[in-house]
């Protein structure tokens, strides 16, 4: 810094605050209430556990009270997130930390809105400064969310292409 009023040089800590949110939008051929239920009541039927989970294929994920929880075949559990705003069938917000702890959480908001042809589902993932490795975490989700959402769209009867 050159003076008391100069801004600090961007460094690793500052870079995390500059990372843009990830925003993904898909449309499913269902009313808003069904789209919300498909996402929150039935993720065990569409979430790609073989690719994106703590315990791998054979485990399942569910929304249970204020948690997003993965359960392994042997009964072990891993909390993926804590829901802090639940507005069915319009949206939910969660602190998101699969395979980590709440100490290293990011923020996930999923919103559901009626559009021609069904429901638009908008997923916004942000708060990268909360991640242990913000840049790597964002890059991983930038790569992973499209495939996860494509599975949801297919489950809801839509086409992902």
């Amino acid at each position: 810094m050159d003076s008391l009023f100069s801004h600090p040089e961007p460094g690793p800590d500052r870079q995390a605050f500059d990372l843009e949110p990830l925003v993904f939008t898909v449309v499913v051929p269902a009313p808003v209430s069904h789209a919300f239920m498909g996402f929150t009541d039935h993720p065990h039927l569409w979430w790609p556990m073989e690719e994106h989970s703590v315990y791998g294929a054979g485990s399942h994920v569910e929304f249970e009270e204020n948690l997003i929880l993965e359960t392994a075949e042997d009964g072990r559990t891993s909390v993926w997130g804590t829901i802090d705003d639940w507005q069915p069938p319009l949206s939910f917000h969660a602190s998101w930390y699969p395979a980590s702890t709440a100490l290293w959480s990011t923020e996930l908001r999923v919103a559901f809105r009626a559009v021609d042809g069904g429901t638009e589902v908008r997923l916004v993932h942000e708060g990268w400064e909360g991640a242990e490795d913000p840049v790597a975490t964002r890059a991983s989700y930038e790569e992973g969310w499209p495939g996860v959402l494509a599975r949801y769209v297919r489950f809801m009867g839509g086409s992902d292409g």
Side-chain angles (χ1 to χ4, degrees):
M1 274 194 328
D2 296 319
S3 76
L4 179 62
F5 300 104
S6 296
H7 295 292
E9 290 297 317
D13 294 334
R14 184 75 209 135
Q15 185 180 20
F17 289 97
D18 294 336
L19 292 172
E20 292 292 321
L22 292 174
V23 180
F24 298 98
T25 304
V26 296
V27 175
V28 296
V32 170
S33 60
H34 289 107
F36 187 88
M37 284 176 27
F39 201 99
T40 61
D41 290 356
H42 304 293
H44 61 285
L45 297 175
W46 59 265
W47 190 276
M49 301 303 288
E50 63 282 356
E51 299 165 6
H52 301 290
S53 67
V54 174
Y55 301 119
S59 62
H60 68 277
V61 63
E62 62 189 328
F63 285 65
E64 185 176 300
E65 295 186 19
N66 70 329
L67 300 176
I68 304 169
L69 188 68
E70 179 182 351
T71 303
E73 288 181 296
D74 64 8
R76 291 176 295 156
T77 60
S78 177
V79 176
W80 287 8
T82 305
I83 299 168
D84 55 24
D85 185 21
W86 184 251
Q87 303 294 325
L90 300 177
S91 68
F92 69 88
H93 178 273
S95 296
W96 184 251
Y97 46 93
S100 188
T101 69
L103 177 66
W104 299 115
S105 65
T106 56
E107 296 179 39
L108 186 67
R109 176 166 300 279
V110 182
F112 301 78
R113 176 175 76 93
V115 295
D116 287 341
T119 298
E120 176 188 90
V121 180
R122 184 173 192 254
L123 182 148
V124 178
H125 195 166
E126 60 189 339
W128 306 111
E129 65 277 5
E132 187 170 13
D133 183 342
V135 173
T137 300
R138 185 185 184 283
S140 175
Y141 282 108
E142 186 171 27
E143 183 179 312
W145 277 125
V148 170
L149 292 172
R151 289 274 295 261
Y152 167 70
V153 169
R154 285 193 304 275
F155 170 73
M156 294 301 297
S159 168
D160 63 353

